[in-house]
Amino acid sequence: MTNSLSTPVSRSGPNPWWVGTVCGMATFVDGAALTGVTIALVLYQMSIGLTPDQVGVLTAALTLGVAVGSLLGGRLGDRLGRRKVFLGTMVLIVLGAGLPVLSTGFPLLLAGIGMLGLGVGADLPVALATISESANDTNRGKIIVFSNILGGCGIAAAVLVGIFFGGSGLLGGQIMFAMFAVVALVTLVLRLSIPESASWLQARAERRQGITTIRADKVDIRDLWHPPYRRPFVTLVLFYSLTTVAVSVAGTFGTYVAVNVAHLDIQQFSTVSLVALPLSILASLWFMRVADTALRMPYFVVGAVTVVVANLIPVAFGFTFLTLIGSTLLSVVGGAFCFETIMKVWTQESFPVMLRATAQGTVYAIARFCAAGLAVVTPALLLWNPSGLYLAVAVVAAIGLTIGWLGFRRNARNEFDHEQELDPAAVAVAGTTV
């Protein structure tokens, strides 16, 4: 086995900001689906008589689909390549979003929403890996943050559909799902211009040539449980799982809380909550300025405190129009600095090429499995004791955010600086067999 580095694969790639935009549409669909499916289900609840239990099961099906898709898509993206997976996932999203447009029977709703979640989940880890591998250390964090802003645009699109068609009952829900399908179809066409990741091609070439670089050798999922990857992996799993469980209550069930707990009008709440989206985008744009600097952690701390306080507002002052809007505004601004965006940046930096999508998908999957379990009972818990649930959410969020701070408060290893180096363990094994 040779120890010399191979000649890098010569490949001129597209502009990384173009890659970030096109591949970042996965985040757009994710944000639109997580917000829009809940709105659509409330509309179906009022028009075709979905029960609270059915709403919980269908919401859980979306989250569970995202979890399973993340797990499978991330691993397939590392084994087969990014491009094959991120094209196939868009086809799955189109099909899944199309079923609830064609039929509103519970079995087909369940199948369609499950497929939608599966496609979104499988797409996210490979799309993020493609984005990070097309960038460099000066713009990687910025582009990942930008791709996350597209998630805010997806939420805005879903809220706008809720505003304009919230009084249309069944038709409004069908328009929501049709929007998902159209966006996925356009994204599929645009993604034909994105080539395979040059880093992934290089790692595959080195494996075939028997070259012992870290990116070529670190391919087994068990490597995630050994240094130097164990600490960031465990930290990310705990941090993101706990914060996702906390955020999913107000985020995924925000409209449900407004209608069923605070007894607000769906169009009124959707219209005013739309104010949160520009604030979220502005906060994310600001975070873009510091995402690639040492200031990212101080901003994380400020965001973490803000998110915890936001969840306590309805507990302290009751569930009213003003408290829900205030809680939402604080959550989206604080979350821009301490939740999903920073998780994606940390994950992309912490693992080498052939483990990057696997790690991202696994972290995402575990968190969504946890959120899916909670989603099944969330409607019932909200009707039983909303204040108690929100208090529990604030505590869980505080624990998760503290774990994230402890794991990454010091300068962490950036794998992009090391993955091209020779793997000492593999070299040692090779030396003993000579």
Side-chain angles (χ1 to χ4, degrees), residues 118-347:
L118 193 67
V120 169
D123 194 84
L124 283 167
V126 290
L128 286 169
T130 303
I131 293 170
S132 66
E133 290 161 8
S134 72
N136 56 51
D137 288 343
T138 65
N139 60 17
R140 184 173 297 110
K142 294 180 179 67
I143 299 177
I144 292 176
V145 174
F146 171 73
S147 72
N148 219 56
I149 291 175
L150 294 176
C153 295
I155 295 172
V159 172
L160 286 172
V161 171
I163 292 171
F164 289 110
F165 300 101
S168 302
L170 176 62
L171 177 62
Q174 291 174 314
I175 290 173
M176 184 74 74
F177 283 106
M179 184 261 289
F180 304 154
V182 170
V183 170
L185 187 60
V186 172
T187 302
L188 173 62
V189 174
L190 294 176
R191 284 189 176 182
L192 295 174
S193 67
I194 306 297
E196 182 57 79
S197 161
S199 296
W200 185 86
L201 290 172
Q202 181 66 51
R204 184 183 65 174
E206 290 170 350
R207 281 189 64 78
R208 289 177 174 177
Q209 297 171 35
I211 298 173
T212 57
T213 59
I214 290 174
R215 64 185 166 199
D217 285 347
K218 300 301 182 183
V219 300
D220 195 318
I221 194 170
R222 289 174 296 184
D223 289 323
L224 296 175
W225 296 100
H226 298 286
Y229 311 120
R230 180 172 56 204
R231 179 184 175 89
F233 180 67
V234 173
T235 298
L236 286 163
V237 166
L238 294 176
F239 155 67
Y240 189 60
S241 295
L242 292 172
T243 52
T244 296
V245 165
V247 170
S248 68
V249 173
T252 305
F253 288 92
T255 303
Y256 188 89
V257 172
V259 173
N260 294 281
V261 178
H263 308 294
L264 303 176
D265 179 79
I266 184 173
Q267 289 175 287
Q268 177 191 31
F269 181 75
S270 296
T271 301
V272 179
S273 64
L274 191 63
V275 176
L277 297 172
L279 288 178
S280 175
I281 291 173
L282 288 173
S284 296
L285 288 172
W286 185 261
F287 190 51
M288 283 178 64
R289 298 168 60 90
V290 301
D292 295 301
T293 73
L295 291 175
R296 70 165 69 157
M297 188 53 74
Y299 274 84
F300 173 87
V301 173
V302 173
V305 173
T306 303
V307 167
V308 173
V309 170
N311 281 287
L312 292 174
I313 290 177
V315 178
F317 302 103
F319 289 80
T320 67
F321 178 77
L322 290 178
T323 60
L324 289 179
I325 292 299
S327 178
T328 299
L329 294 180
L330 283 177
S331 291
V332 296
V333 172
F337 305 117
C338 70
F339 181 47
E340 189 157 318
T341 303
I342 191 63
M343 178 275 293
K344 292 175 178 177
V345 174
W346 282 339
T347 306

Side-chain angles (χ1 to χ4, degrees), residues 80-97:
L80 304 179
R82 292 31 172 141
R83 194 172 191 271
K84 291 178 182 177
V85 177
F86 71 52
L87 292 178
T89 52
M90 284 297 116
V91 176
L92 191 59
I93 292 171
V94 172
L95 294 175

Side-chain angles (χ1 to χ4, degrees), residues 48 110 157 365:
I48 65 175
L110 184 61

Side-chain angles (χ1 to χ4, degrees), residues 29 33 37 57-70 72 88-100 102 106-123 177 180 184:
V29 178
V37 167
V57 170
L58 291 170
T59 305
L62 175 67
T63 308
L64 189 62
V66 172
V68 175
S70 299
L72 297 176
T89 52
M90 284 297 116
V91 176
L92 191 59
I93 292 171
V94 172
L95 294 175
L99 280 179
L102 300 175
F106 181 75
L108 286 182
L109 279 176
L110 184 61
I113 290 174
M115 289 174 61
L116 176 62
L118 193 67
V120 169
D123 194 84
F177 283 106
F180 304 154

